[in-house]
Amino acid sequence: MNLTGFFRNCASALKSSIFGSSENNEHSAESGFIPTDEQALELFAEIRAMPLSHKSERGNGSACDLKAHAIYVLLAERGVEGIEKGWISSPLAPNGRPNFLIKPPVEVHYALRDIDLDEEGRLRQSVKDDEPFNIHVATVVTTREGRRLVFDTYFYEHPPELEQWLEDFKPYEEGVELKHQLTDPDYVGFEQIGMGLPREGSIKQLVERGHSYLRVKFQLNNLDSNPVETPLQAKWLSPDRDLEQDVEFKPE
């Protein structure tokens, strides 16, 4: 078995062990492929229906790095080629420390653990989490039609084009210019960007990928589901487009 095959087997194990298995394996391939727009929509819908897409912690979709890496692994397992990660970041504060200046693109509500249930066991009202954040990341797939689609399954109902995604995340304060970049998908955290990556097909690459997916598995397992009630729409899709085939997510 070659290293690519081993990585795909790791991805398959990751998917079945924590994200829920899927009966739809029509996209699986030993050789890579570039998806069409329609295939990308199907993949997005399938992944968005998985519990992983709606897990987070307080911080407006926090754990986006974990979700983005998990989605990258799932797409790699299907043989999708040309995967990237898109990053939006706040400029550093004058003292060089992280500056939390990215505005949430949609309302996010979160139920604090210590007030989840009242004395009768009923769910209390959730709290609105509208604090600014510092980094946001999502997986990016380029289709055969040349469309760069962002697999931000937490905030969106369907994949937006890269241009819309960058525009939707605005600075919290006027005059602030957010930074944008595309990177290799093997970078899990923002602080890793720029560090050298192992040579393609090397044992070191295999070990680092395995370590990354195990860490993602562990951390996602310990997060609660916190779905967005009104996800954003993808502007490139016409209102009359037939999307009935898409998988609808229903929080459990």
Side-chain angles (χ1 to χ4, degrees):
M1 179 185 297
N2 60 31
L3 294 179
T4 301
F6 185 89
F7 180 52
R8 287 183 183 165
N9 283 348
C10 287
S12 181
L14 173 64
K15 180 181 73 173
S16 62
S17 64
I18 71 168
F19 304 146
S21 60
S22 171
E23 300 298 326
N24 182 6
N25 293 318
E26 63 180 293
H27 298 292
S28 297
E30 282 301 315
S31 58
F33 79 105
I34 302 296
T36 63
D37 284 350
E38 292 298 328
Q39 287 174 320
L41 285 171
E42 292 171 7
L43 285 166
F44 184 96
E46 182 183 348
I47 294 173
R48 190 170 189 275
M50 297 178 182
L52 78 96
S53 290
H54 308 275
K55 287 194 166 189
S56 72
E57 55 191 354
R58 275 201 91 186
N60 298 290
S62 186
C64 60
D65 55 344
L66 302 178
K67 293 190 286 282
H69 201 73
I71 291 170
Y72 154 50
V73 171
L74 289 168
L75 293 173
E77 184 233 357
R78 301 305 177 84
V80 175
E81 291 185 341
I83 304 169
E84 300 172 285
K85 281 183 182 173
W87 302 80
I88 304 173
S89 58
S90 295
L92 294 177
N95 61 3
R97 298 177 66 85
N99 215 352
F100 293 80
L101 292 172
I102 303 176
K103 185 178 181 180
V106 64
E107 282 192 3
V108 177
H109 292 264
Y110 188 88
L112 295 175
R113 286 182 181 274
D114 59 348
I115 60 168
D116 280 349
L117 302 176
D118 62 17
E119 292 76 8
E120 284 74 37
R122 295 173 298 190
L123 186 66
R124 297 181 190 270
Q125 185 175 2
S126 61
V127 297
K128 182 178 177 181
D129 182 11
D130 58 356
E131 293 297 316
F133 49 105
N134 186 42
I135 303 292
H136 189 58
V137 58
T139 310
V140 180
V141 173
T142 301
T143 66
R144 283 188 214 168
E145 292 84 348
R147 205 183 298 277
R148 268 196 170 121
L149 298 180
V150 182
F151 276 52
D152 191 337
T153 55
Y154 186 78
F155 283 115
Y156 290 85
E157 186 171 2
H158 302 99
E161 290 187 281
L162 180 62
E163 293 78 8
Q164 177 192 343
W165 185 70
L166 297 177
E167 174 64 23
D168 284 343
F169 287 84
K170 301 184 183 299
Y172 198 77
E173 299 176 357
E174 288 189 21
V176 173
E177 186 174 344
L178 301 178
K179 298 182 179 181
H180 312 135
Q181 58 185 311
L182 292 170
T183 72
D184 188 291
D186 277 322
Y187 291 120
V188 181
F190 184 74
E191 71 284 353
Q192 297 174 337
I193 297 175
M195 295 181 180
L197 291 171
R199 178 174 53 84
E200 183 67 32
S202 66
I203 294 295
K204 185 177 181 181
Q205 183 190 60
L206 174 63
V207 171
E208 290 195 5
R209 282 178 168 175
H211 178 269
S212 294
Y213 106 80
L214 287 173
R215 181 171 68 82
V216 166
K217 170 184 174 179
F218 175 79
Q219 293 184 359
L220 275 175
N221 261 338
N222 287 283
L223 294 181
D224 295 324
S225 182
N226 183 38
V228 172
E229 293 182 5
T230 308
L232 296 168
Q233 303 299 309
K235 295 179 180 178
W236 69 278
L237 294 172
S238 59
D240 58 347
R241 188 183 182 95
D242 183 11
L243 294 171
E244 291 184 359
Q245 62 181 344
D246 289 356
V247 180
E248 181 183 359
F249 170 74
K250 295 181 180 180
E252 296 181 357

